Amino acid sequence: MKLAVVAGPPSAGKTAVVRQTIRSLLDRHRIVYLKIDVVRAFEDEELAAEFGIPVRKVYSGDLCPDHAGVMVMRDAIAWAEREGADLLLVESAGLCLRCSPYTTQGLGIVVLSAVSGTNTPLKMAAMLALADIAVVTRIDLVSQAEKEVFRERIREVNPDLDIVETNAVQGTGMRYLLRAIEEYPQITDPDTIVLRGAPPLGVCTVCIGKTEIGWQHHFGVVRRLEDADYLFRGD
Amino acid sequence: MDTSPTREITILPGRNRRGEPERFEAITIRPGDTISIVGPTGSGKSALINDIEVFARNDTATGRTVLVNGEFPPEEFVRDPAYKPVALITQNTRCLADLTVAEFLAMHVRSRKIADDGIVERTIALANEFTGEEIRAGARMTALSGGQTRSLLVADAVLIAAAPVLLLDEVENAGIFKERVIEVLRAGGKAVIFVTHDPLVSLLSARRIVMRDGGVERVIEPLDRENEALREALRLDGILHRMREEIRAGNLITGPVGA
């Protein structure tokens, strides 16, 4: 079975990319879909109704959705195997973009919208740095020069990233993403899958549920504002 | 990869909205060609140039196929805009890049690995030949008007993207000097495809592709048969141009108008 994780900011067109992928690969593959979101999601119901494929969703609630995704990933693979799937598509909620939900043994697909502004690739650097392929959507709404400038920004973050430009509603250019999915190796051993990079950690006392504000109420490894440009950087 | 220059682009027919085959064998576009795509709103004009832009391979709604030099184009042509022989200036061009004009162009130059110090200034200067509202290097891209953006992107397509084939979607709607644009593109040996409702732009084109119901209805080559209409369109356009400038300058037009 193959694993592909689709991530990216809200409204970038992740579900449109997933929908085109399912539509094109359904005749050759048994596909199952897992949606991870925070409080509400409808994509699973829509895709099940449209394609009749097995779907699941999980709400992360107060937990970070990308962390939730990682926590349930092993269960999801077991579920997909029980369903007889040969392709598990996992779509993230796409929220803070400070970490990256990609794992080993799975294709990392980041979806970003061409109309989201030139600096967007820099703002979601972690997600771009660890992905295999970037799908740039709404490409029909920008000019040639703007496309190239946007690509240049993506390349600044990750020069090796494979870039697919698409009008995901029409499905143009998707053949290169489909080929990348089909050529990606199968999962070899689900029990050895790990995250590709260290996520931001629960490093402050707010993360563990304290509501007080200000340093005097808190403890831990986070530096004071005047001590560093970054409050905390994981290794 | 095949890096030979683009000698021709060939459009092979797909189907119209009723599912009927389009009425042409093949449309071939070569350097120096001027082609206009005409037809009512919603007849599929923009879809046709989008098919050219993405090198459709029976994978768009129209089912068309677009070849370069008689073959499926190399993957880089489709995937990497730096190799792409066509540049599309869309109808609703509003640049969303949060950069100044000079930064935007410099970044485009960098992405193309062009070593030419003056190219940004020359591009802005060329763009200013196409528009009456001056574009300044320090202006933000997002603050440019539609006409300024379009002028800048046409100039970019000519000098920086240096694409041999330009696709211009309703260039006349942006308040730019269309005759000057056509003149520069012709002089540069570009093939230009206009989606247009403008009689003058249509008459200035050597071929007209007529669209209906999402498909190509026919391809017309007027040869010299429309000379008189073209002369008249140029005369009328000159009158309208002068009136436009007078009105823009805040003047009343009370004298004789038909020079």
Side-chain angles (χ1 to χ4, degrees):
Chain A
M1 187 179 70
K2 292 176 197 293
L3 166 66
V5 177
V6 182
S11 304
K14 293 186 293 297
T15 308
V17 169
V18 166
R19 179 176 279 115
Q20 291 290 354
T21 303
I22 296 171
R23 182 174 294 145
S24 305
L25 294 180
L26 198 56
D27 57 342
R28 297 194 297 283
H29 296 275
R30 177 145 173 87
I31 304 171
V32 298
Y33 169 82
L34 170 67
K35 170 72 189 181
I36 295 152
D37 218 311
V38 181
V39 285
R40 293 300 297 275
F42 309 95
E43 294 84 352
D44 57 320
E45 293 156 35
E46 290 167 15
L47 294 174
E50 193 170 342
F51 299 109
I53 59 167
V55 298
R56 294 283 291 269
K57 76 179 142 204
V58 59
Y59 293 137
S60 62
D62 290 338
L63 183 62
C64 158
D66 281 347
H67 290 196
V70 171
M71 302 310 288
V72 304
M73 187 70 82
R74 185 65 189 85
D75 299 340
I77 292 168
W79 162 69
E81 280 172 344
R82 285 198 302 280
E83 293 285 351
D86 63 3
L87 175 61
L88 166 60
L89 292 174
V90 178
E91 182 182 332
S92 85
L95 293 174
C96 82
L97 309 172
R98 287 296 170 276
C99 66
S100 149
Y102 308 119
T103 64
T104 56
Q105 301 181 48
L107 181 69
I109 302 167
V110 59
V111 179
L112 58 174
S113 164
V115 303
S116 62
T118 324
N119 292 327
T120 303
L122 306 181
K123 293 177 183 178
M124 47 192 287
M127 195 169 266
L128 288 176
L130 297 173
D132 297 298
I133 190 162
V135 180
V136 180
T137 59
R138 302 198 179 92
I139 206 70
D140 52 312
L141 297 181
V142 297
S143 63
Q144 164 83 15
E146 216 173 351
K147 280 175 212 173
E148 292 182 42
V149 166
F150 198 72
R151 287 172 78 91
E152 185 68 6
R153 271 287 196 256
I154 294 174
R155 297 252 186 251
E156 280 179 21
V157 178
N158 182 348
D160 301 323
L161 200 56
D162 198 11
I163 298 174
V164 170
E165 295 178 337
T166 182
N167 166 353
V169 176
Q170 300 282 339
T172 54
M174 285 287 289
R175 57 182 180 260
Y176 303 108
L177 175 67
L178 302 175
R179 190 179 66 194
I181 292 172
E182 294 206 274
E183 288 178 354
Y184 201 77
Q186 310 265 338
I187 293 172
T188 47
D189 179 0
D191 293 321
T192 61
I193 292 176
V194 292
L195 277 173
R196 292 195 188 178
L201 308 173
V203 289
C204 71
T205 46
V206 174
C207 295
I208 57 165
K210 283 174 72 77
T211 54
E212 294 87 350
I213 65 166
W215 297 106
Q216 60 274 30
H217 299 293
H218 293 263
F219 53 87
V221 297
V222 177
R223 284 169 278 197
R224 289 166 183 273
L225 189 57
E226 56 269 29
D227 294 340
D229 289 337
Y230 288 101
L231 287 180
F232 177 80
R233 290 210 92 169
D235 296 322
Chain B
M1 145 190 169
D2 177 13
T3 52
S4 60
T6 301
R7 296 183 309 274
E8 58 180 40
I9 287 178
T10 311
I11 308 166
L12 301 177
R15 293 182 172 273
N16 69 15
R17 262 183 226 115
R18 296 190 303 269
E20 300 157 352
E22 290 183 287
R23 297 184 186 176
F24 67 97
E25 297 283 319
I27 297 170
T28 304
I29 303 154
R30 298 194 177 89
D33 276 354
T34 46
I35 299 173
S36 55
I37 303 173
V38 301
T41 301
S43 60
K45 299 189 293 296
S46 294
L48 176 56
I49 57 168
N50 280 321
D51 282 350
I52 302 171
E53 209 256 339
V54 301
F55 300 105
R57 194 182 280 204
N58 194 14
D59 60 353
T60 61
T62 64
R64 292 189 191 106
T65 297
V66 176
L67 304 175
V68 177
N69 298 340
E71 296 171 358
F72 287 122
E75 192 172 320
E76 286 77 359
F77 275 27
V78 189
R79 300 198 59 189
D80 188 340
Y83 291 108
K84 193 180 249 187
V86 302
L88 169 65
I89 314 295
T90 60
Q91 189 179 352
N92 49 2
T93 291
R94 289 293 309 178
C95 202
L96 299 145
D98 190 20
L99 299 168
T100 67
V101 169
E103 285 167 346
F104 178 82
L105 296 177
M107 205 160 157
H108 191 196
V109 169
R110 194 160 68 239
S111 79
R112 288 281 180 137
K113 300 181 176 63
I114 300 170
D116 179 344
D117 288 342
I119 196 166
V120 168
E121 288 70 30
R122 290 206 310 284
T123 303
I124 296 171
L126 179 61
N128 278 322
E129 290 183 35
F130 299 150
T131 173
E133 324 154 75
E134 194 195 345
I135 302 164
R136 293 172 198 278
R140 298 208 78 80
M141 290 297 294
T142 46
L144 299 183
S145 72
Q148 287 176 315
T149 310
R150 194 92 73 113
S151 300
L152 191 68
L153 293 173
V154 171
D156 175 289
V158 172
L159 292 175
I160 299 174
V165 179
L166 262 69
L167 309 171
L168 300 176
D169 199 347
E170 294 198 34
V171 69
E172 67 270 12
N173 283 355
I176 75 177
F177 305 145
K178 56 204 171 205
E179 285 170 77
R180 180 73 188 129
V181 171
I182 293 171
E183 196 181 311
V184 166
L185 296 174
R186 271 195 175 156
K190 307 284 179 193
V192 199
I193 303 172
F194 301 96
V195 168
T196 188
H197 292 288
D198 185 294
L200 178 58
V201 173
S202 305
L203 291 166
L204 282 168
S205 307
R207 269 184 287 171
R208 286 213 289 279
I209 298 174
V210 182
M211 303 298 300
R212 200 165 314 280
D213 257 343
V216 173
E217 181 80 4
R218 63 195 147 123
V219 181
I220 301 173
E221 289 190 52
L223 303 171
D224 294 330
R225 285 172 289 174
E226 292 181 324
N227 279 348
E228 196 179 329
L230 174 57
R231 270 197 304 278
E232 192 61 8
L234 282 168
R235 190 181 68 82
L236 294 172
D237 193 65
I239 294 171
L240 283 173
H241 177 73
R242 285 191 296 277
M243 280 194 190
R244 198 178 296 125
E245 292 309 306
E246 290 289 322
I247 290 169
R248 211 177 248 169
N251 299 330
L252 280 174
I253 303 173
T254 50
V257 294

